[in-house]
Amino acid sequence: MNEPGRRIEVASDQDVVRVRQQVRTLAVAVKLSLVDQTKIVTAASELARNTLVYGGGGWVEVAPADNGRRKGIRIVFSDHGPGIADLDLAFTDGYTTGGGLGLGLSGARRLVDEFDIVTAVGEGTTITVTKWCR
Amino acid sequence: MERVPVLKIGDILLVSIQIDMEDQVALQLQEDLAERIVATGCHGVIIDISALDIVDSFVGRTLATIAAISRVLDAETVVVGMRPAVAITLVELGLSLPGIRTALNVELGMDLLAREREDNGDDDEETNGLEGAETPAVPAP
């Protein structure tokens, strides 16, 4: 029972900024607390950058979520990049293949309530995250 | 591309980040600051992030890099004005910004820099093994 979201193509730095702004606007609209707004926007920034840098670009969909009990925000990040061969390694704090800090994936997972990842080598990666209002 | 302005106030360079920075803008700021430190001979850098509603790992890393670069160029960096929600999120993200001095606002940041400058006098107690490293000459202000 989730409404359709808004899809944002992610192909440049500027698009990552657009994702942040879109997530911020919706996080305010569904009335997440200030700290939770900050967490979901930060997580979205990390994951959108991954879509761009590691996935070679893709799209992000931002939508309100409602499980009947609580409202929240759900974001999908999808790319057709190389995929992730070793998920355990990818979720290790400090591990990176791209010269970053290695905190994007592991850190983003800590900042959201639900985190789902589907990845296949050579096909791409789709990550879905949800943050619920308390 | 937008650019973050770097202001010189006395012996201090002040940067107030007022925009949601693209990654490229953050990298540009890093370069601009290094150049301005050398050009002005300033010994302190204050970066005001009170307008930022998030600091992600990229911006966090940029701040840490700026602090490291300025240290090599004989300037201390203080990051000021971090919002409470940003601090909570940063730590949960796993980024505790080691090596970065912080203060609650610009004024306290300036106090901190002034105190450090007094304490150290001119004999910098650098024990980080950077002595002798090639750093650009700092022209007199």
Side-chain angles (χ1 to χ4, degrees):
Chain A
M1 54 179 313
N2 292 310
E3 299 164 43
R6 269 185 72 169
R7 187 172 284 211
I8 304 160
E9 297 298 325
V10 175
S12 72
D13 276 0
Q14 237 176 339
D15 298 328
V16 176
V17 174
R18 254 204 293 282
V19 169
R20 285 203 289 265
Q21 286 165 350
Q22 194 67 45
V23 171
R24 185 179 296 123
T25 304
L26 188 60
V28 171
V30 304
K31 297 194 169 66
L32 282 178
S33 74
L34 181 58
V35 171
D36 285 342
Q37 287 171 28
T38 308
K39 286 181 180 177
I40 190 67
V41 175
T42 305
S45 184
E46 300 293 342
L47 295 173
R49 187 179 292 107
N50 282 357
T51 300
L52 178 66
V53 174
Y54 298 96
W59 52 262
V60 173
E61 206 168 85
V62 184
D66 189 339
N67 65 3
R69 289 185 302 121
R70 291 196 285 183
K71 290 191 192 311
I73 176 169
R74 176 166 292 136
I75 317 170
V76 182
F77 305 81
S78 191
D79 67 63
H80 291 291
I84 302 170
D86 187 338
L87 270 182
D88 285 341
L89 195 55
F91 275 109
T92 305
D93 270 354
Y95 176 79
T96 179
T97 58
L101 290 172
L103 289 173
L105 206 53
S106 52
R109 185 165 63 171
R110 282 192 290 272
L111 293 175
V112 299
D113 294 322
E114 289 168 24
F115 188 105
D116 179 62
I117 182 164
V118 178
T119 184
V121 171
E123 287 174 32
T125 302
T126 297
I127 293 175
T128 306
V129 302
T130 311
K131 190 87 185 162
W132 297 110
C133 293
R134 280 170 215 295
Chain B
M1 192 178 73
E2 289 173 282
R3 230 179 164 114
V4 179
V6 179
L7 310 175
K8 180 177 180 298
I9 301 175
D11 192 30
I12 287 171
L13 294 176
L14 176 65
V15 178
S16 182
I17 304 173
Q18 299 284 334
I19 53 167
D20 189 341
M21 289 189 294
E22 284 172 39
D23 292 359
Q24 212 51 48
V25 175
L27 293 176
Q28 183 67 50
L29 172 62
Q30 196 172 297
E31 283 176 32
D32 288 350
L33 259 176
E35 271 167 32
R36 288 295 299 278
I37 290 169
V38 172
T40 61
C42 282
H43 291 295
V45 175
I46 292 183
I47 303 178
D48 174 26
I49 59 166
S50 57
L52 293 189
D53 55 13
I54 70 153
V55 170
D56 62 14
S57 66
F58 189 87
V59 171
R61 175 170 56 147
T62 305
L63 292 175
T65 307
I66 286 173
I69 293 172
S70 30
R71 200 162 297 135
V72 174
L73 297 176
D74 195 23
E76 271 302 311
T77 301
V78 185
V79 172
V80 307
M82 185 182 294
R83 298 182 185 185
V86 171
I88 291 168
T89 302
L90 258 186
V91 171
E92 201 163 321
L93 185 64
L95 211 63
S96 48
L97 302 183
I100 296 189
R101 313 296 307 265
T102 58
L104 291 183
N105 57 44
V106 173
E107 202 176 352
L108 293 172
M110 293 178 93
D111 287 351
L112 177 67
L113 287 174
R115 258 199 326 273
E116 293 225 318
R117 208 64 201 149
E118 271 174 29
D119 290 351
N120 288 344
D122 270 339
D123 56 308
D124 297 339
E125 353 174 290
E126 310 246 332
T127 50
N128 51 9
L130 284 174
E131 272 104 339
E134 198 147 319
T135 58
V138 177

